[in-house]
Amino acid sequence: MTNPEEKKVLFYHPHDTDIDTKIKDVGLSEAIIKFSNTFTKDDSVQTMHTQKTCQFYYQPESGYWMIMTLNVPFDRKTRDSGDYNEYHGDTIHDTIFQSVLRQSYRMFRMFHGTFLDNLQPNEELDAQANLIGKLEAFYQSYILHLQMKKCDVVDAFGSVQYLPLNQLLFLRVQNFINMIEATFAPIKHCIFLYSDQVVWSGISPTDLYTLYEYFHSPMYDHLAQSKQTRPAYVTEKGKIKRYTLMVCRKVQNISLCLLLDDSAVENEQSLYMELNAVVNPQLTSISSDISQHLQSGGESSYSFGCSGSKDDSATAPKFIFFNELNLQHRGTVRLGQMQYQSVTGSGLPNDVMNLIVDLLDDVRSNRSSVMDETIVKTHDDYWIVKRSCNSRHVFIILNKSSTLIDVTEETKKILDQHVKGIFF
């Protein structure tokens, strides 16, 4: 006879965990959630820290909870009484990994719809078995490609990099998008990328970030080899709508992603071939013009994105700009995957990354349209200057022994050079 507690588990990783452990974890999670609700009016529990683990809780839909457990890093130490483990719980930042958990749900919803949408029977399975099958098929692959050690402020931002162009080039891209949407009736939204930076997007910033993450994951590389299209669910006016996602072949440095109306597509292969015949010559020309523009020094202050700066040394001044309104970031700090492709020692220490997220959390919890500035000095001589106004934030990182006057002067110099006229 099946234990009723066992039915509550829709997905569990590792898959080969014994059922008693699964039931025990379900019971413990339910107890923590109910206990926290005695102090609040909503399901606001998000994180629980113990010496050895850290658990993150997220309720994406009514009646469904996702719980992620991380092992706390530790060092093996020796003392007179024997060896012991020294745990470093402060290296796991709540905001960063809570964002990772939320993003794991958004990624599933992007390509499969909500949990409730999938709680439907089919010819072979009942409703719950069908949902379990969808969850296992997706998350067994998704979890294998998660790189927790590489999570940083970009995960907390949930943002992408945009490529600023001059007016003529941007208008040319916009006219190109308008042309293909008018020519091919099934096309409802477009995403235009150049060298992995966004030039144009017709969907919400949150959905754009999810697709951007997908395009840079091994899951996309695997799927692209087998099929040209797949379903995609995006948010429009507060509702989730299903489209067909088609990615045209990469032309030089440009990737064109299209969201097609499901009901209007009769022959996907024929449409794909016709699209490539029409857009490839124009994309080649646009790519060439953008490349020449960037090589000639156009938008030089933006040309490094967040992939590095001219001076990529550990002691060079760095900055990160983040716009919450359109979920855009740029700067001279290597973030995400790029920080592991940089020169040894050129990235930011983990505690500095966490401190930047702490400063962002502080702004988010104290919303104000008035500009504010915070200056922090770490124990190892890092200075972090944060300025915020109207959901726009800039973080300046200096790694040198300086006075407050020196830091203020260096901050002004960086602001004038990189973010002048944005909000200061």
Side-chain angles (χ1 to χ4, degrees):
M1 183 175 179
T2 305
N3 190 318
E5 295 297 310
E6 182 181 351
K7 291 184 177 181
K8 296 179 180 179
V9 183
L10 300 178
F11 174 79
Y12 194 104
H13 178 83
H15 185 67
D16 56 358
T17 304
D18 64 87
I19 189 61
D20 290 337
T21 300
K22 294 180 181 180
I23 292 174
K24 182 186 71 173
D25 287 347
V26 168
L28 178 61
S29 297
E30 282 187 319
I32 292 170
I33 292 168
K34 289 179 180 178
F35 176 74
S36 68
N37 287 345
T38 62
F39 302 97
T40 60
K41 295 181 180 179
D42 58 359
D43 298 321
S44 59
V45 59
Q46 294 187 5
T47 311
M48 184 185 75
H49 289 264
T50 67
Q51 183 186 32
K52 297 181 179 181
T53 64
C54 185
Q55 285 189 322
F56 297 88
Y57 299 82
Y58 176 47
Q59 187 181 26
E61 302 174 30
S62 179
Y64 295 90
W65 280 89
M66 301 177 70
I67 298 98
M68 179 175 71
T69 303
L70 300 181
N71 292 321
V72 174
F74 65 88
D75 292 325
R76 193 68 175 165
K77 299 285 186 176
T78 303
R79 57 188 173 193
D80 294 341
S81 58
D83 294 342
Y84 71 99
N85 295 333
E86 183 178 88
Y87 291 90
H88 305 287
D90 57 341
T91 61
I92 298 179
H93 198 288
D94 290 1
T95 301
I96 292 176
F97 290 101
Q98 179 66 225
S99 299
V100 171
L101 178 59
R102 290 170 183 263
Q103 181 62 16
S104 70
Y105 168 73
R106 294 192 193 105
M107 192 70 78
F108 177 87
R109 195 195 68 183
M110 172 63 70
F111 299 111
H112 298 280
T114 64
F115 293 158
L116 187 60
D117 290 340
N118 289 277
L119 192 65
Q120 305 291 337
N122 60 23
E123 296 179 356
E124 300 177 356
L125 303 171
D126 61 28
Q128 183 164 328
N130 185 39
L131 174 57
I132 290 174
K134 295 283 186 65
L135 292 171
E136 289 183 347
F138 176 80
Y139 281 111
Q140 289 292 4
S141 173
Y142 182 80
I143 290 174
L144 290 177
H145 297 122
L146 275 179
Q147 297 177 302
M148 292 298 194
K149 292 182 179 180
K150 298 184 179 181
C151 296
D152 57 24
V153 297
V154 169
D155 296 279
F157 290 169
S159 57
V160 300
Q161 297 180 61
Y162 283 76
L163 178 67
L165 301 174
N166 62 31
Q167 291 182 351
L168 290 178
L169 273 177
F170 182 76
L171 284 174
R172 186 175 178 191
V173 172
Q174 189 176 36
N175 288 336
F176 168 77
I177 297 296
N178 292 338
M179 181 274 294
I180 61 174
E181 288 183 351
T183 304
F184 298 93
I187 299 177
K188 298 304 177 183
H189 302 291
C190 299
I191 302 169
F192 189 104
L193 305 173
Y194 181 88
S195 293
D196 293 333
Q197 296 189 41
V198 179
V199 176
W200 174 270
S201 169
I203 61 177
S204 72
T206 303
D207 287 334
L208 173 62
Y209 173 69
T210 301
L211 279 176
Y212 187 87
E213 288 286 289
Y214 168 68
F215 293 143
H216 292 81
S217 71
M219 295 174 63
Y220 170 69
D221 294 334
H222 174 74
L223 187 73
Q225 296 175 359
S226 58
K227 57 176 70 174
Q228 296 162 348
T229 63
R230 69 173 301 172
Y233 298 78
V234 300
T235 305
E236 290 184 356
K237 298 178 180 179
K239 297 182 179 180
I240 298 175
K241 186 171 182 179
R242 172 174 166 148
Y243 289 99
T244 296
L245 174 67
M246 176 181 289
V247 182
C248 291
R249 288 194 300 269
K250 193 167 185 176
V251 179
Q252 294 187 14
N253 292 317
I254 294 177
S255 295
L256 184 64
C257 315
L258 309 173
L259 289 173
L260 313 175
D261 186 346
D262 270 353
S263 60
V265 180
E266 297 180 357
N267 188 320
E268 293 179 357
Q269 179 65 27
S270 175
L271 177 62
Y272 180 81
M273 299 302 294
E274 187 179 355
L275 268 169
N276 276 281
V278 172
V279 306
N280 279 10
Q282 296 194 52
L283 289 181
T284 301
S285 175
I286 293 174
S287 177
S288 177
D289 289 346
I290 293 177
S291 177
Q292 289 180 10
H293 169 69
L294 296 177
Q295 290 175 6
S296 65
E299 309 294 343
S300 59
S301 62
Y302 299 90
S303 59
F304 298 104
C306 262
S307 59
S309 63
K310 293 179 180 178
D311 184 355
D312 206 20
S313 64
T315 57
K318 298 177 173 64
F319 85 96
I320 305 171
F321 172 76
F322 171 49
N323 186 343
E324 285 192 87
L325 300 178
N326 62 358
L327 297 184
Q328 170 202 4
H329 75 262
R330 61 180 178 84
T332 54
V333 178
R334 294 179 181 268
L335 299 175
Q337 301 292 330
M338 291 301 301
Q339 66 172 302
Y340 295 89
Q341 302 170 15
S342 61
V343 180
T344 302
S346 66
L348 294 178
N350 186 67
D351 60 334
V352 174
M353 289 283 195
N354 287 347
L355 189 52
I356 291 173
V357 180
D358 287 337
L359 292 171
L360 179 65
D361 287 344
D362 184 60
V363 176
R364 287 172 168 172
S365 62
N366 299 284
R367 288 291 183 185
S368 174
S369 59
V370 179
M371 185 180 75
D372 71 272
E373 176 176 298
T374 304
I375 301 177
V376 179
K377 185 177 186 293
T378 68
H379 63 87
D380 50 356
D381 283 336
Y382 272 94
W383 289 84
I384 303 174
V385 181
K386 183 268 302 175
R387 282 195 183 183
S388 300
C389 184
N390 296 328
S391 299
R392 295 173 174 85
H393 318 282
V394 64
F395 303 88
I396 296 169
I397 303 99
L398 308 174
N399 182 15
K400 59 183 178 180
S401 180
S402 305
T403 66
L404 190 58
I405 294 176
D406 294 334
V407 170
T408 303
E409 291 177 351
E410 188 71 40
T411 297
K412 185 178 184 303
K413 186 189 303 181
I414 293 174
L415 292 175
D416 289 343
Q417 181 180 356
H418 295 286
V419 291
K420 187 175 182 179
I422 292 182
F423 56 88
F424 304 118

